[in-house]
């Protein structure tokens, strides 16, 4: 080993620098092979180990010094495997100081082109730029590094620090071309002392070109970018304080921003346009162009402000009526009825100026977009017969989803390996998991060696196959741990693969099957224990007595198993004289279809004729019907939860792990500890009891309540719950109710999907759901504003009658909370209720609903014009109107 390699392997950076300085270019190139070999060797060792931490800085320095090509040197310096233990910057610069300026410039620009994730140090790039005298590279990593560097210097204020920057103009220009400001947004600050105020001050001093800054700001805001970019560039544009002439020169830009930019930017652009319009600097045609986009924005504040502006312009300039009034009428299609009414008032005020019959006809065409309560007024103003603008309502529901047949198990070992690898890379649905599981079992029984060979590439990616990586409790403990069970489907696959690979001992697998009752039980434990017991049984049998196939593989995507298929599988077991797995057979019984009595009776006769204990047990099971335990409501805080009684049917003759499903559940007796944090397992829980979703829903109710009460996530399971089988009773409806009031929009959307699926299948009890929601709103578990958003989304699909039937049972409770309560309590009860009344009014108007809602008249009779009172009056009037012909 030569002297240089000894110094590098010993981690002596100073000696490495001294030795490389003596080498000629040819000698440096000769050392590269050994350095690269050492780099390969260190890649197998984690970067945080002592040896790597000691050797890598010297290796980094030696490689940078020995590469004579600029491209190779830059690649070595910026290599990802060397980024965490690099040589000091001053040492690197000393190692490169003998190179010519062109070479240094080339390295600097190549380093600046590397992605930000490469972690190339800014001080190194800046020093190379300074030594070479080249143009500064205006790339994202370089500009981001510069911003961090300037922000770190606290000895001077920001303006002074920027004044000292020799490349100020190009680097400031680079700020406007950054793809994302997310990582450095916090450095820009706000108000005095911020980057925005500093750049504006430098523009006033003439160190930066003000016109270029304005152009760059506007261009960046028009282009958009990250979600927080406007917090940097909009304050800068405001600091630059454009004159009225500069604003007038950019009217097309303000129009584009007002129509399409994020809300704060659009609000600024609207304010600029409003100032120009009121000063006479904006023609009516330009105002109409800007308004067309603004009036369709979702932000009600912007739409109302634009209608106010249009009203002022129309009052001052009668000649603009023909151009602006049709634009005002575009707001007839806005989702908010108050916006519609504001627009209609403007039309009523100025329509008499319209002499053009074609313009009146154009307005008349937009009248049907108004809510029914406003159409009569609009028809009277425009001279249109009221009957011509009425609509005949027709309820629209999505088609009811149909379950999908599960495809046969993969036939070859290669197909099994492919599907298992896909499931480990990304969670699949129940059908994909069960197919892969059945394929593993079948191929292990038929050709275990071929399966292991095919699984080789998949096993190579698993952590437990690498001898240098050890779980702190050991692999045996991890796969044998039965305290909480297998918490995810992926963990189940890992267990089976580890079993096939010989990582887990037979003793551990046997002990896993013999799990005793754990003190760590929760409401989910009954479902998780069933899922866990079957997989542990499969794992043990893979090692000791491979099964020819799985009995419980579902026939349908919901987890349902056809009885004829189960009989066929039992017949195959009898033909092969194979031993049936107790957990697999028990799961098959829970999945087998019993609601089709003719099919069940026919399959029962065939099962009995098999003459096996399992056939006789299946025949008796098919003779029964699915029953549900009795349930009772309990409250815990603001939550409404359910307790269930015992169900002997699920205890008699079932393995111990399955019997918990038939035991009573309690919201108080169950232990609070729950380790089932991974929500991907919930679809598999539904497949445990595919014809008794009420039992699953009751166990998920606490989680769904958390989405509304505690702002947690977790309502994605609701569409699967709606598509499952069995009665949709109290538990299912309560789950949907909590989902409709969830904090996160994605969860509310999932609840709306579930509601529509239930409605399309004829399983939705809108009155029950509404009563549940009313109680939850009254208790404070569901916020009216969130419920309003969900109801509006569902109604937008065409389900107005369904939503009205639900909302008319929701409203009495919160409306009653407004009367006879202390002012503070009434104020809390009124929060968001106006939005809920608005959705209810729209649904009633569109569906032609009639009748009365308790306590609505008292709210509508209140004084004032608040949103709550206005929408209460609107709903009262809609319910009192005659049905349109």
């Amino acid at each position: 080993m030569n002297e240089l390699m000894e110094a590098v392997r010993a981690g002596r950076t100073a000696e490495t620098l001294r030795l490389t300085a003596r080498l000629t270019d040819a000698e440096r190139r000769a050392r590269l092979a050994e350095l690269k070999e050492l780099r390969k060797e260190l890649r197998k060792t984690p970067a945080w180990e002592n040896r790597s931490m000691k050797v890598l800085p010297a290796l980094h320095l030696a490689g940078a010094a020995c590469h004579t090509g600029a491209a190779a040197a830059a690649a070595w310096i910026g290599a990802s495997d060397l980024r965490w233990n690099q040589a000091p910057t001053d040492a690197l610069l000393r190692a490169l100081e003998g190179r010519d300026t062109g070479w240094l410039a080339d390295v600097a620009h190549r380093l600046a082109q590397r992605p930000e994730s490469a972690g190339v140090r800014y001080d190194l790039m800046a020093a190379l730029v300074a030594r070479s005298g080249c143009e500064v590279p205006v790339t994202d990593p370089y500009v981001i590094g510069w911003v961090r560097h300037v922000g770190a210097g606290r000895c001077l204020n920001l303006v002074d620090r920027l004044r000292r920057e020799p490349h100020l103009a190009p680097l400031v220009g680079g700020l406007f071309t950054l793809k994302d400001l997310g990582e450095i947004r916090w450095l820009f600050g706000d108000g005095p002392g911020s980057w925005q105020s500093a750049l504006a001050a430098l523009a006033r001093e003439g160190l930066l070109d003000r016109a270029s800054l304005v152009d760059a700001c506007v261009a960046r805001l028009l282009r958009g970018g990250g979600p927080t970019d406007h917090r940097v560039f909009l304050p800068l544009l405001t600091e630059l304080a454009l004159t009225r002439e500069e604003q007038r020169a950019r009217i097309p830009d303000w129009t584009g921003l007002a129509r399409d930019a994020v809300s704060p930017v659009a609000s600024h652009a609207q304010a600029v346009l409003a100032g120009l319009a009121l000063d006479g600097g904006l023609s009516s045609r330009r105002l109409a162009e800007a308004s067309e986009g603004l009036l369709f924005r979702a932000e009600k504040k912007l739409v109302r402000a634009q209608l106010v502006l249009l009203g002022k312009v129309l009052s001052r300039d009668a000649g603009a009526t023909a151009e602006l009034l049709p634009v005002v009428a575009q707001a007839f299609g806005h989702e908010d009825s108050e916006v519609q009414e504001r627009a209609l008032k403007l039309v009523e005020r100025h329509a008499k100026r319209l002499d053009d019959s074609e313009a009146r006809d154009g307005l008349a065409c937009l009248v049907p977009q108004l809510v029914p309560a406003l159409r009569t007024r609009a028809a009277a103003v425009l001279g249109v017969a009221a009957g011509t603008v009425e609509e005949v309502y027709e309820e629209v529901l999505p088609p009811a989803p149909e379950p999908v047949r599960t495809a046969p198990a993969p036939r070859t070992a290669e197909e099994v390996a492919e599907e298992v690898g896909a499931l480990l890379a990304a969670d699949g649905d129940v059908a994909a998991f069960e197919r892969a599981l059945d394929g593993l079992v079948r191929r292990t029984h038929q050709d275990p060696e071929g399966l292991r060979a095919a699984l080789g590439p998949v096993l190579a990616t698993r952590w437990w196959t690498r001898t240098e990586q050890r779980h702190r409790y050991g692999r045996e403990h991890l796969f044998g741990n039965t305290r909480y069970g297998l918490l995810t489907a992926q963990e189940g696959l890992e267990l089976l693969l580890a079993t096939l690979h010989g990582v887990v001992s037979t003793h551990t697998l046997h002990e896993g099957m013999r799990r005793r009752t754990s003190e760590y039980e929760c409401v989910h434990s009954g479902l998780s224990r069933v899922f866990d017991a079957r997989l542990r049984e499969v794992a043990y049998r893979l090692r000791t007595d491979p099964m020819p196939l799985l009995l419980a593989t579902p026939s349908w995507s919901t987890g349902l198993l056809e009885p004829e298929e189960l009989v066929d599988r039992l017949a195959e077991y009898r033909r092969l004289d194979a031993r049936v797995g107790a957990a697999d057979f028990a799961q098959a019984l829970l999945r087998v279809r019993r609601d089709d009595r003719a099919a069940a009776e026919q399959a029962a006769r065939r099962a009995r004729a098999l003459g096996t204990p399992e056939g006789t047990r299946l025949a008796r099971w098919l003779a029964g019907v699915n029953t549900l335990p009795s349930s009772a409501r309990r409250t815990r805080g603001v939550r409404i939860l359910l307790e269930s009684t015992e169900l002997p049917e699920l205890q008699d003759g079932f393995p111990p792990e399955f019997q918990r499903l038939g035991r009573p559940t309690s919201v108080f007796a169950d232990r609070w500890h729950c380790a089932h944090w991974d929500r991907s397992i919930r679809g598999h829980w539904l497949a445990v009891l595919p014809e008794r979703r009420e039992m699953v829903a009751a166990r998920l109710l606490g989680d769904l309540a958390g989405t509304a009460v505690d702002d947690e996530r977790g309502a994605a399971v609701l569409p699967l719950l709606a598509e499952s089988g069995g009665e949709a009773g109290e538990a299912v409806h309560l789950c949907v109710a909590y989902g409709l009031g969830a904090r996160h929009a994605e969860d509310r959307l999932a609840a709306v999907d579930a509601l529509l699926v239930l409605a399309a299948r004829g399983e939705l009890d809108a009155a029950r759901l509404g009563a549940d929601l009313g109680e939850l709103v009254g208790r404070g578990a569901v916020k009216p504003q969130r419920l309003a958003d969900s109801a509006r989304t569902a109604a937008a699909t065409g389900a107005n009658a369904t939503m009205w039937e639900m909302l008319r049972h929701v409203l009495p409770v919160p409306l009653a909370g407004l009367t006879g309560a202390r002012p503070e309590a009434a104020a809390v009860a009124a929060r968001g209720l106006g939005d809920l009344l608005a959705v209810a009014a729209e649904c009633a108007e569109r569906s032609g609903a009639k009748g009365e809602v308790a306590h609505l008249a008292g709210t509508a009779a209140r004084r004032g014009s608040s949103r709550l009172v206005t929408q209460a009056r609107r709903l009262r009037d809609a319910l009192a109107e005659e049905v349109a012909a």
Side-chain angles (χ1 to χ4, degrees):
M1 184 184 301
N2 58 60
E3 191 176 4
L4 175 61
M5 290 306 299
E6 288 180 359
V8 171
R9 286 185 176 275
R12 297 192 291 268
T13 307
E15 185 178 348
T16 300
L17 177 61
R18 178 176 55 81
L19 292 172
T20 54
R22 302 174 181 175
L23 300 176
T24 65
D25 284 352
E27 290 173 331
R28 290 176 180 179
R29 287 191 291 269
R31 300 290 189 274
L32 285 175
E34 294 175 292
L35 293 173
K36 291 178 180 178
E37 192 61 33
L38 176 58
R39 182 178 172 186
K40 282 184 182 179
E41 181 183 325
L42 291 177
R43 281 176 182 159
K44 300 176 182 178
T45 305
W48 55 85
E49 286 195 3
N50 290 336
R51 180 175 178 239
S52 293
M53 294 180 69
K54 180 180 180 181
V55 175
L56 282 175
L59 176 63
H60 188 241
L61 177 64
C66 289
H67 277 95
T68 56
W76 183 281
I77 293 171
S80 60
D81 57 326
L82 302 174
R83 63 173 297 192
W84 299 113
N85 293 289
Q86 295 185 357
T89 299
D90 58 345
L92 283 172
L93 292 173
R94 288 179 60 192
L96 303 177
E97 63 186 0
R99 311 302 174 93
D100 62 68
T101 56
W103 191 92
L104 293 175
D106 195 359
V107 171
H109 279 262
R110 289 179 183 275
L111 289 176
Q113 292 290 342
R114 297 187 69 80
E116 169 65 17
S117 59
V120 179
R121 294 195 294 260
Y122 167 77
D123 56 350
L124 174 62
M125 294 187 288
L128 291 173
V129 169
R131 292 189 178 192
S132 65
C134 66
E135 290 185 4
V136 64
V138 188
T139 63
D140 282 14
Y142 195 94
V143 174
I144 289 173
W146 173 67
V147 172
R148 288 172 175 161
H149 173 74
V150 173
R154 300 299 178 190
C155 56
L156 300 171
N157 63 44
L158 183 58
V159 175
D160 289 337
R161 277 175 271 152
L162 291 174
R163 284 196 191 103
R164 294 167 179 256
E165 173 55 56
H167 305 288
L168 180 62
L171 289 175
V172 169
L175 291 175
F176 298 95
T177 59
L178 286 174
K179 293 184 180 67
D180 185 15
L181 290 172
E183 294 188 12
I184 55 173
R185 157 71 187 93
W186 63 276
L187 288 170
F188 285 86
D190 298 293
S194 66
W195 274 77
Q196 295 89 333
S197 61
L199 293 177
L202 294 175
R204 289 191 293 270
E205 294 175 11
L207 292 177
L208 291 173
D209 182 56
R210 182 176 175 281
S212 297
L213 285 180
V214 172
D215 289 341
C217 266
V218 174
R220 181 58 186 248
L221 292 173
L222 282 168
R223 189 186 80 189
T228 62
D229 284 9
H230 65 276
R231 297 180 184 175
V232 173
F233 299 111
L234 182 58
L236 175 56
L237 185 61
T238 305
E239 287 277 355
L240 292 172
L242 274 64
T243 65
R244 187 63 77 189
E245 288 302 319
E246 288 175 321
Q247 291 175 345
R248 188 176 296 111
R250 297 183 174 278
I251 288 175
D253 294 333
W254 306 128
T255 300
L257 291 172
R259 294 168 63 141
D260 302 320
V262 294
S263 188
V265 179
S267 180
H268 175 79
Q270 183 189 47
V272 173
L273 290 171
L276 292 172
L278 297 177
D279 288 349
L282 188 66
S283 67
S284 57
R285 180 177 63 82
R286 292 282 196 179
L287 178 58
E289 290 177 359
S291 300
E292 284 177 353
L294 261 169
L295 293 178
F296 281 102
R297 291 189 66 108
E299 301 93 332
K300 298 172 188 177
K301 181 179 179 181
L302 291 177
V303 176
R304 291 168 183 167
Q306 194 65 16
L307 288 175
V308 170
L309 173 62
L310 289 168
K312 291 179 179 179
V313 174
L314 284 168
S315 299
R316 292 169 49 176
D317 184 8
T321 304
E323 199 150 25
L324 295 182
L325 211 56
V327 177
V328 171
Q330 296 291 330
F332 288 178
H334 198 277
E335 64 178 18
D336 185 11
S337 63
E338 292 183 8
V339 170
Q340 293 183 11
E341 187 168 13
R342 285 173 181 265
L344 179 57
K345 287 180 179 178
L346 285 178
V347 172
E348 289 173 331
R349 191 178 306 145
H350 301 287
K352 56 182 177 292
R353 299 178 183 171
L354 279 178
D355 298 327
D356 187 357
S357 60
E358 185 177 344
R360 282 181 171 272
D361 291 342
L363 294 179
C365 291
L366 298 173
V367 171
Q369 298 182 20
L370 289 166
V371 297
L374 300 176
R375 290 178 196 165
T376 304
R377 286 171 51 184
V381 170
L382 298 172
V384 181
T388 64
V389 297
E390 296 294 340
E391 294 179 336
V392 176
Y393 177 73
E394 182 178 355
E395 182 82 348
V396 178
L397 291 172
E402 298 291 337
V404 179
R405 264 281 185 180
T406 302
R411 296 186 176 184
T412 67
E414 290 72 21
E415 290 177 351
V416 172
E418 182 179 352
E419 296 199 15
V420 169
L423 286 169
L424 290 172
D427 287 324
D429 57 16
V430 170
F433 176 80
E434 291 287 348
R435 287 184 69 251
L437 186 63
D438 195 23
L440 274 172
V441 169
R442 289 172 183 263
R443 296 311 305 174
T444 303
H445 182 266
Q446 297 168 9
D447 182 15
E449 294 305 321
L451 178 60
R452 290 189 185 94
L455 287 170
V458 178
L459 295 174
T461 65
R462 313 324 300 164
W463 65 267
W464 39 264
T465 62
R466 304 173 198 148
T467 56
E468 70 274 8
Q469 295 190 22
R470 301 281 182 179
H471 191 273
R472 64 174 176 167
Y473 295 119
R475 293 178 293 193
E476 285 285 332
H477 177 86
L478 181 67
F479 289 121
N481 179 23
T482 61
R483 172 178 288 184
Y484 305 123
L486 296 167
L487 304 180
T488 68
Q490 285 196 343
E491 289 177 6
L493 287 177
E494 295 273 10
L495 171 64
L496 300 182
L497 293 179
T499 300
L500 289 171
H501 195 60
V503 169
V504 188
S505 68
T506 305
H507 173 74
T508 298
L509 295 173
H510 187 252
E511 285 298 307
M513 285 184 60
R514 297 174 60 249
R515 182 183 38 237
R516 302 162 186 84
T517 302
S518 170
E519 61 176 322
Y520 296 97
E521 297 287 337
C522 66
V523 72
H524 308 110
S525 295
L527 298 166
S528 68
R529 296 303 192 202
V530 169
F531 180 80
D532 180 77
R534 179 168 172 247
L535 285 175
R536 291 193 181 276
E537 178 185 76
V538 170
Y540 180 69
R541 291 288 298 274
L542 287 179
R543 175 67 56 79
T544 60
D545 181 18
M547 295 183 285
L549 52 88
L550 289 179
L551 295 173
T553 303
S555 309
W556 299 94
S557 56
T558 58
L560 200 60
L561 172 59
E562 292 296 338
E564 289 291 341
E565 291 187 32
L566 179 53
V567 175
D568 290 341
R569 294 170 188 173
L570 286 174
E572 180 67 10
Y573 264 80
R574 187 186 66 170
R575 186 185 71 81
L576 297 171
D577 194 24
R579 183 165 57 90
V580 171
D584 186 38
F585 180 58
Q587 176 63 94
L589 292 179
L590 295 180
R591 284 179 174 171
V592 72
R593 183 196 293 272
R594 295 202 290 180
D595 60 357
D596 185 342
R597 296 311 307 156
E601 290 169 5
Q602 181 179 350
R605 288 193 293 270
R606 288 187 57 209
R608 195 174 293 109
L610 291 176
T612 62
E614 291 79 18
T616 303
R617 171 82 165 109
L618 174 59
R620 289 200 307 270
W621 180 260
L622 290 173
V625 294
N626 293 312
T627 57
L628 294 173
S630 301
S631 62
R633 290 195 173 208
R634 295 288 184 268
T635 59
R636 193 171 67 194
V638 298
R639 294 170 171 80
I640 299 174
L641 301 175
L642 294 177
E643 292 183 339
S644 63
T645 59
E646 188 175 35
L647 190 61
E649 182 189 35
L650 295 185
Q651 298 187 64
D652 298 338
F654 278 92
E657 296 87 357
F658 285 68
Q659 292 177 9
R660 183 173 172 79
L661 289 174
R663 293 174 189 157
T665 62
S666 170
V667 300
F668 303 111
D670 282 339
R671 291 187 176 270
W672 62 269
H673 187 90
C674 178
H676 303 98
W677 54 269
D678 192 307
R679 293 183 287 271
S680 65
I681 194 65
R682 294 177 183 175
H684 297 275
W685 289 349
L686 280 166
V688 169
L689 295 165
E691 281 193 318
R692 305 192 213 205
R693 58 180 161 187
E694 271 290 289
M695 294 180 63
V696 182
R699 289 162 169 79
L700 294 177
L701 196 52
D703 303 307
L704 271 299
T707 66
V709 179
D710 299 324
D711 296 348
E712 297 173 353
R713 298 297 306 272
V717 71
L718 285 176
L720 296 177
L721 185 65
E723 293 171 19
S724 191
E727 179 185 345
E730 190 173 21
V732 170
H733 282 76
L734 270 173
C735 283
V736 174
Y738 282 119
L740 292 173
R743 161 67 176 84
H744 297 279
E746 297 85 352
D747 286 332
R748 294 198 298 272
L749 188 59
V752 169
D753 287 343
L755 183 152
L756 295 175
V757 168
L758 291 173
R761 295 174 63 170
E763 297 170 345
L764 179 69
D765 187 340
R768 165 182 269 172
L769 179 59
D772 288 340
L773 280 166
E775 189 173 353
L776 291 172
V777 169
R779 296 178 63 85
V782 168
K783 293 179 172 57
Q785 198 163 15
R786 296 177 185 174
L787 177 58
D789 178 73
S790 297
R792 186 181 296 109
T793 302
T797 67
N800 291 283
T802 301
M803 296 315 299
W804 165 247
E805 181 64 19
M806 181 191 82
L807 290 172
R808 77 184 183 91
H809 291 88
V810 174
L811 292 172
V813 175
L815 288 175
L818 300 175
T819 59
R822 299 189 311 275
E824 315 87 63
V828 172
R831 194 172 300 154
L833 188 52
D835 292 331
L836 196 59
L837 285 167
V839 180
E842 183 172 351
C843 292
E845 290 165 347
R846 294 191 182 280
S847 63
K850 299 291 172 270
E852 295 183 358
V853 174
H855 309 291
L856 176 63
T859 305
R862 288 183 165 201
R863 296 180 181 179
S865 57
S866 66
R867 180 170 177 77
L868 172 66
V869 175
T870 300
Q871 295 302 325
R873 292 169 184 165
R874 175 188 170 194
L875 178 57
R876 177 200 60 190
D877 296 342
L879 295 175
E881 286 178 353
E882 293 294 327
V883 178

